[in-house]
Amino acid sequence: MIYAVWLPLLVPLLAAPLARRGAESLPPRAAAWALTCLALVLALSSTAALALLALDGALRLPFVAALGHLSPNLLGDGSPAMAPAAVLAAVALVGLGGLVLHRTRRHVRELRVVHGQLDGQASAGDLTVRQDECPDAYALPGRPGRIVVTTGMLRALSAPEREVLFAHERAHLAGRHHVFLAAAEFAAALHPALRGLRVPLSYALERWADECAARVTGDRALTARAVGRAALAVSASGPRPRPRLSLTATAGPVPRRVTALLAPAPTVARAHHLLPRALAALLLACVALSATAALEAATDLHAGIEIAQGEGGGHGFAEADGD
């Protein structure tokens, strides 16, 4: 187990840079799904590896072995690095659990505060207008989800551009894009190397909403102009505080998004070029390697526990005699 258990901890160091490069070659929706699924699988695999390391070390403690009716001698001598690795893994698990809990509570608190502040504001359906001269607009997740726009933003855009902005934010709510962001935050908390996936994921989600708005309005040039003008209006007045799980049309590299909107609509055919296919194969290999290594380590530990409990002792001695 000592060899297989390290792979899920090391694979994200290679997979994250590959994923950032590969996401650029995919259509926005596919990129968002690929980045999120990759981050979750790698994060859960690395956490499972830490748990297995900590458990293997704990089972070698006399009082823990007694509770499980184990014979520590039958667990094997293990590597000299097993004891410190188990201690570090246990400390890391406690720290990561606390970090995940802290971020979850922070996100929930931020959403509750903003929803409370919006009570009593002018609203029509899912649209809430906030009295504020500073231009701003974002999709606020929750029950119900809302599109929050300030009076300053409404003045900065023409009527057709406002419709683009609303379509963009509605796409965020309809696609539940905040769930993708929450998953990326969760994964980044569990493995530091996965923090690098948050920026490309955020960009993919904004591009996804851009394409939805372009389809709704039927005018890619108008969509590009609305995104650009909204971003300029926000940059002129400075960024406004908003919940971390909210999404806004003015986020990310806006010039790059505008350029993409002025180009032909992305098609699935782009994903069949040689480089994207090679990167996809490498990423799938990384995911398979990480998940398989975690499973193999768990299987090895389970077999060792059975032997230490005497369930597999006879078979193990028989094989030793045969040798």
Side-chain angles (χ1 to χ4, degrees):
M1 186 191 80
I2 188 62
Y3 302 107
V5 79
W6 294 109
L7 287 176
L9 299 173
L10 299 176
V11 166
L13 299 175
L14 171 65
L18 285 176
R20 289 198 301 269
R21 177 67 181 88
E24 297 176 359
S25 305
L26 293 174
R29 182 172 182 172
W33 276 104
L35 290 170
T36 304
C37 293
L38 175 74
L40 285 176
V41 171
L42 294 181
L44 293 175
S45 297
S46 65
T47 304
L50 289 175
L52 290 170
L53 278 171
L55 178 59
D56 187 81
L59 292 174
R60 298 174 189 275
L61 298 175
F63 72 94
V64 176
L67 289 175
H69 306 290
L70 303 174
S71 174
N73 295 330
L74 295 179
L75 284 172
D77 295 335
S79 167
M82 179 58 71
V87 173
L88 291 175
V91 172
L93 281 174
V94 173
L96 294 177
L99 181 59
V100 170
L101 180 61
H102 168 72
R103 290 189 178 182
T104 301
R105 295 178 62 182
R106 182 185 65 188
H107 291 318
V108 172
R109 182 172 61 251
E110 288 178 348
L111 293 176
R112 285 180 176 173
V113 167
V114 175
H115 274 283
Q117 293 174 347
L118 294 177
D119 290 341
Q121 299 284 343
S123 61
D126 60 355
L127 180 64
T128 299
V129 178
R130 195 168 189 169
Q131 296 296 325
D132 191 338
E133 291 305 312
C134 293
D136 196 16
Y138 56 91
L140 180 66
R143 296 184 178 178
R146 303 187 187 188
I147 299 170
V148 182
V149 60
T150 64
T151 51
M153 180 63 80
L154 293 178
R155 293 191 182 96
L157 302 179
S158 65
E161 290 167 346
R162 293 176 204 159
E163 292 304 316
V164 170
L165 182 67
F166 299 156
H168 178 103
E169 306 303 351
R170 286 194 179 98
H172 282 316
L173 294 177
R176 301 184 66 81
H177 292 175
H178 62 282
V179 176
F180 291 80
L181 286 183
E185 288 283 331
F186 173 78
L190 294 178
H191 199 297
L194 299 175
R195 294 174 184 172
L197 299 182
R198 291 184 296 188
V199 171
L201 175 60
S202 177
Y203 174 75
L205 293 174
E206 293 303 329
R207 284 285 299 116
W208 183 353
D210 286 342
E211 293 299 326
C212 289
R215 285 196 299 271
V216 169
T217 60
D219 190 335
R220 297 181 67 82
L222 172 63
T223 304
R225 186 168 66 250
V227 169
R229 289 192 64 180
L232 286 174
V234 170
S235 64
S237 62
R240 307 289 295 170
R242 63 173 71 93
R244 291 172 176 84
L245 292 185
S246 63
L247 296 106
T248 174
T250 60
V254 174
R256 184 179 168 196
R257 289 169 50 202
V258 169
T259 300
L261 281 167
L262 294 177
T267 62
V268 178
R270 290 178 55 191
H272 295 294
H273 292 169
L274 180 60
L275 179 59
R277 292 177 67 180
L279 289 173
L282 285 173
L283 289 174
L284 287 175
C286 289
V287 169
L289 179 62
S290 182
T292 302
L295 181 59
E296 181 181 350
T299 302
D300 288 348
L301 181 59
H302 181 264
I305 292 174
E306 286 188 338
I307 293 174
Q309 288 177 331
E311 297 176 13
H315 180 67
F317 292 141
E319 288 184 345
D321 292 338
D323 294 337

